[in-house]
Amino acid sequence: MFPLQRNRRLRTNESIRSLVRETSLSPQDFMLPMFVAEGKDVKVAIPSMPGIYRHSLDNTIKEVKEAWDLGIKAVNIYVKVSDNLKDNKGVEAWNKDGLMQQTIRAIKDAVPEMIVMPDVALDPYSIYGHDGIIENGLLVNDATVDALTRMSLSHAEAGADFVAPSDMMDGRVLAIRKALEENGHHNVGIMSYSAKYASAFYGPFRDALDSAPVDSQNIPKDKKTYQMDYANRIEGIREALLDVEEGADIVMVKPGMAYLDIVREVKNAVHVPVAVYQVSGEYAMVKAAAERGWLDHDKIMIEQLYCIKRAGASIISTYFAKEAAVILNK
């Protein structure tokens, strides 16, 4: 009761505020998403994501070393696949000498302690831009799971620490876990994109990988038959719980800022680490507003990352990782 309790006593100065602060943030909380392209000495700017590039493998290694030196301990890898390697079944996805597999090996050779989590989904390899195999105008679940399992095994054989299925097919975590166990990859983990919503915030990402669904009358024009309805909350919790039962070591909520209620609900429901993906559209919005002088870029960036961590994230996958690490390290 006032005046016996005056809450402002704990806000008097920065020393006391930092002493009682409930949430901490450090570069070790971050995972850096990276886009890899074919070629040498390639650095292609992504216009809708200022400051983010598609790098060839040699430049990717430089970026990984820089991230490690900043205190970032994990990278999430995506590859830009040449059109001539795309088909409906994603066969290139499990090519042992494919770009993703080369990238995993190169990163582990260059920075062995960096945690490498390659993306597992067929959209970069699909002529249709979908996360799975299309048959008779529909995305089929079980055949896609078989392809994702082969893809995951190839990532494990290349040296991945975790595989990261982002496709939202039913049963894929169990199938991948069984395949990893049967092939001796007992220590390769699974970070499952468990509550991944069909969001408009992904737009710039699809520019980065040229992986948007193609506009055709014969196939779905969006990903709403497998990614989740953003009006739903309980469904996201159920998806996360099922993935844990099937063997996921980490579950992810995606997108981030607009879905912090889901982050907290999932955090309260599961007993594994929760990852959150602050996606391309969320990144681009901050960049665009800051460029116009409407927001203080660094303050908004750090505030948003703190909010994601406060909501329950153990890992934050963010394009801000390097910029934020520089500030936090100071």
Side-chain angles (χ1 to χ4, degrees):
M1 293 176 60
F2 181 85
L4 300 181
Q5 293 186 4
R6 293 178 180 264
N7 292 336
R8 288 182 59 199
R9 294 187 189 116
L10 299 180
R11 305 174 198 150
T12 303
N13 54 51
E14 176 56 24
S15 294
I16 187 62
R17 290 194 296 271
S18 64
L19 190 64
V20 301
R21 188 164 290 139
E22 299 173 28
T23 304
S24 62
L25 188 70
S26 82
Q28 294 184 58
D29 295 319
F30 303 148
M31 177 164 57
L32 177 63
M34 305 187 75
F35 302 121
V36 186
E38 297 280 3
K40 257 192 167 182
D41 196 27
V42 173
K43 182 179 180 180
V44 178
I46 301 167
S48 55
M49 300 175 68
I52 303 299
Y53 302 86
R54 284 197 301 264
H55 289 287
S56 53
L57 186 50
D58 51 341
N59 286 333
T60 296
I61 297 304
K62 294 176 184 177
E63 288 285 303
V64 170
K65 289 179 177 179
E66 183 180 340
W68 180 263
D69 290 341
L70 287 169
I72 298 165
K73 305 298 184 184
V75 290
N76 189 202
I77 305 301
Y78 301 84
V79 293
K80 169 70 170 66
V81 179
S82 301
D83 287 345
N84 66 303
L85 296 175
K86 296 182 180 183
D87 59 25
N88 184 33
K89 295 186 177 180
V91 173
E92 178 65 17
W94 54 86
N95 177 1
K96 66 182 179 63
D97 295 317
L99 180 58
M100 177 67 87
Q101 291 77 4
Q102 292 180 47
T103 301
I104 295 167
R105 288 193 290 267
I107 293 173
K108 295 304 291 185
D109 285 345
V111 188
E113 292 182 75
M114 180 65 85
I115 300 300
V116 179
M117 300 192 186
D119 180 60
V120 176
L122 296 185
D123 50 329
Y125 303 89
S126 169
I127 54 175
Y128 298 119
H130 274 286
D131 291 30
I133 297 168
I134 301 293
E135 292 180 3
N136 299 319
L138 299 174
L139 190 147
V140 293
N141 191 91
D142 296 2
T144 296
V145 169
D146 290 342
L148 297 171
T149 301
R150 297 182 71 173
M151 185 178 183
S152 297
L153 280 175
S154 77
H155 292 178
E157 289 161 3
D161 299 283
F162 285 75
V163 294
S166 64
D167 54 283
M168 291 299 290
M169 297 299 115
D170 293 332
R172 91 278 206 212
V173 173
L174 180 60
I176 292 169
R177 184 70 267 161
K178 284 183 174 179
L180 291 172
E181 294 296 320
E182 289 168 1
N183 287 273
H185 300 296
H186 312 298
N187 293 324
V188 175
I190 299 174
M191 181 183 71
S192 173
Y193 289 57
S194 298
K196 181 178 180 180
Y197 287 83
S199 172
F201 283 106
Y202 303 149
F205 176 93
R206 290 170 184 167
D207 291 341
L209 291 185
D210 187 25
S211 61
V214 300
D215 189 7
S216 170
Q217 293 181 345
N218 300 321
I219 63 169
K221 294 180 173 59
D222 55 43
K223 301 188 177 187
K224 292 181 180 180
T225 65
Y226 46 104
Q227 294 178 359
M228 290 172 44
D229 185 341
Y230 55 68
N232 293 350
R233 177 182 61 87
I234 295 172
E235 184 183 9
I237 302 166
R238 184 169 70 246
E239 289 279 6
L241 289 170
L242 286 170
D243 282 358
V244 172
E245 288 181 10
E246 291 182 13
D249 302 281
I250 301 168
V251 295
M252 177 180 277
V253 176
K254 182 181 180 181
M257 285 301 298
Y259 294 79
L260 294 186
D261 60 322
I262 310 300
V263 176
R264 174 44 57 185
E265 294 266 22
V266 169
K267 180 68 172 180
N268 290 342
V270 303
H271 299 287
V272 299
V274 176
V276 175
Y277 201 142
Q278 187 183 34
V279 300
S280 57
E282 297 173 298
Y283 172 87
M285 289 166 64
V286 174
K287 290 293 184 182
E291 285 175 2
R292 288 159 177 77
W294 296 342
L295 297 174
D296 183 310
H297 176 278
D298 291 353
K299 288 181 179 178
I300 288 291
M301 172 180 68
I302 295 298
E303 180 179 345
Q304 288 195 348
L305 293 169
Y306 260 100
C307 290
I308 295 170
K309 182 77 183 292
R310 186 193 66 221
S314 304
I315 302 164
I316 305 172
S317 184
T318 176
Y319 301 99
F320 287 120
K322 288 169 60 181
E323 292 176 277
V326 170
I327 292 173
L328 293 170
N329 287 334
K330 291 180 181 178

